[in-house]
Amino acid sequence: MESMPERAAVGTLLRHVLELLDGDVAKVYDELGLPGYRPRFSPYVRALVADGPASIRELAGKVGVTHSAASQTVAQMTRSGLVAVEPGADARQRIVHLTPRARESLPVIEAEWAATEAAARGLDAELPMPLADLLTQTVLALRRKPFRQRIAESGLDVTPGE
């Protein structure tokens, strides 16, 4: 049996869950003939299909990640031939478009997304509460009171040394 991360190591547990989920989804993409397609690409593809070309900043907002994270993912997608990036009206702005290769792959991507949603519902049925609900509540709680503040309240002096 594979070992489990220590229960108190919440960050390690979260990374482990993400590795288990994303690793299997990536295997499915390989089996469906899309090697190198990463699960993190799908929210961007879906946003571009739904709303058309967008700036990296707009994509970051739609996907719910930082501009930096969106920029890194778009760079990976560009290298994979899934998106093309062109200058926007503002010289600092870059507009992201799906490539013909990405559009040809949409039926597979959409079928996998639907299957993943069904699999997630099955997983949720085994859990005390749906995983997405738990994670959403966790994000909201951390926005109300950041983890750093919670650490400081535990008694650890987190003021910078002098």
Side-chain angles (χ1 to χ4, degrees), residues 98-162:
L98 289 177
T99 63
R101 177 175 180 247
R103 292 197 178 282
E104 290 168 9
S105 301
L106 284 177
V108 173
I109 294 166
E110 292 295 332
E112 184 285 323
W113 188 274
T116 295
E117 287 178 331
R121 287 190 300 275
L123 175 61
D124 285 345
E126 296 179 40
L127 302 174
M129 77 182 297
L131 183 57
D133 291 352
L134 176 61
L135 294 172
T136 299
Q137 291 303 313
T138 302
V139 168
L140 294 173
L142 291 170
R143 285 182 180 163
R144 284 190 301 272
K145 184 189 290 188
F147 206 56
R148 183 187 182 285
Q149 181 180 346
R150 294 167 191 269
I151 292 169
E153 289 173 357
S154 76
L156 182 65
D157 182 8
V158 294
T159 55
E162 297 180 325

Side-chain angles (χ1 to χ4, degrees), residues 1 5 10 28-29 33 42 47 49 52-54 56 67 69-70 74 84 101 108 124 130 132-133 142 149 151 158:
M1 181 172 151
V10 175
V28 168
Y29 278 119
S42 289
V49 167
I56 293 175
H67 182 273
V74 166
R101 177 175 180 247
V108 173
D124 285 345
D133 291 352
L142 291 170
Q149 181 180 346
I151 292 169
V158 294

